[in-house]
Amino acid sequence: MSIAETASPSLAEADRFRATLRNHPAGVVIITASVEGRPVGLTATSFTSVSLAPPLVSFYIAESSTTWPALRRAGEFGVQLLTEEQSDLADRFARRGEDRFAAPTAWSRGPSQVPLLDGASAHLVCSRFDTRLIGDHWLVVGEVTHTLVLDDPRPPLVYHRGAFGGVSALR
């Protein structure tokens, strides 16, 4: 294998590229919003902090997402940091054609009427800061306007090698 083959993802086939990135664990969040009074949401593993001043976070969403046409109309969105006990919820919000907010999903409206999911270790409410198409995904950047954290947060849910799971506490 040459250095050019390993250094340039543009040369990798899509399946091989995905298989390579499966080795990198990622935190799991659910992005939620209210669009015309209806809650919308999806599971994301591309969430990250961007800036402290101003407080910015981001996530990516596939252009082919069936949730994106509604979500892109929202001026505010919520980020739910999931706990290791919430893999069923992450699965539910990742499936197409699912009524994600129907029972057994427990949720309430938070600041700016953003849907907040019960049991998440933390919630961030954000106003849309920037959105850009990069490759076949949209980069969505939000400015954090509210944070809500559980008093006793549990270990986070992660996505690794195609599955959701927990992590051992680092010491």
Side-chain angles (χ1 to χ4, degrees), residues 99-124:
D99 183 355
R100 297 168 178 162
F101 289 89
T105 302
W107 62 281
S108 60
R109 294 201 183 267
S112 302
Q113 297 300 303
V114 169
L116 300 179
L117 304 175
D118 292 0
S121 65
H123 304 279
L124 300 117

Side-chain angles (χ1 to χ4, degrees), residues 27-34 40-49 55-60 71 76-82 86 89 101 111 114-128 140-149:
V28 182
V29 301
I30 292 178
I31 306 297
T32 59
S34 182
V40 297
L42 59 94
T43 300
T45 57
S46 58
F47 174 76
T48 190
S49 63
L56 302 175
V57 296
S58 71
F59 67 94
Y60 285 89
L71 186 59
E76 293 85 26
F77 61 89
V79 179
Q80 335 297 308
L81 305 180
L82 300 185
Q86 294 181 300
L89 192 62
F101 289 89
V114 169
L116 300 179
L117 304 175
D118 292 0
S121 65
H123 304 279
L124 300 117
V125 176
C126 307
S127 61
R128 179 80 56 85
V140 180
V141 180
E143 183 168 2
V144 178
T145 58
H146 296 86
T147 59
L148 305 142
V149 181

Side-chain angles (χ1 to χ4, degrees), residues 87-98:
S87 60
D88 289 346
L89 192 62
D91 275 333
R92 181 182 185 95
F93 275 75
R95 287 193 298 265
R96 291 180 184 234
E98 184 86 23

Side-chain angles (χ1 to χ4, degrees), residues 3-75:
I3 291 174
E5 288 176 317
T6 59
S8 177
S10 63
L11 297 177
E13 294 180 22
D15 288 342
R16 185 172 179 161
F17 184 58
R18 270 191 229 98
T20 300
L21 293 180
R22 287 169 56 108
N23 291 297
H24 178 72
V28 182
V29 301
I30 292 178
I31 306 297
T32 59
S34 182
V35 179
E36 299 173 0
R38 287 188 44 241
V40 297
L42 59 94
T43 300
T45 57
S46 58
F47 174 76
T48 190
S49 63
V50 174
S51 169
L52 186 58
L56 302 175
V57 296
S58 71
F59 67 94
Y60 285 89
I61 182 170
E63 186 170 30
S64 62
S65 165
T66 58
T67 306
W68 178 235
L71 186 59
R72 76 182 310 161
R73 296 193 327 258

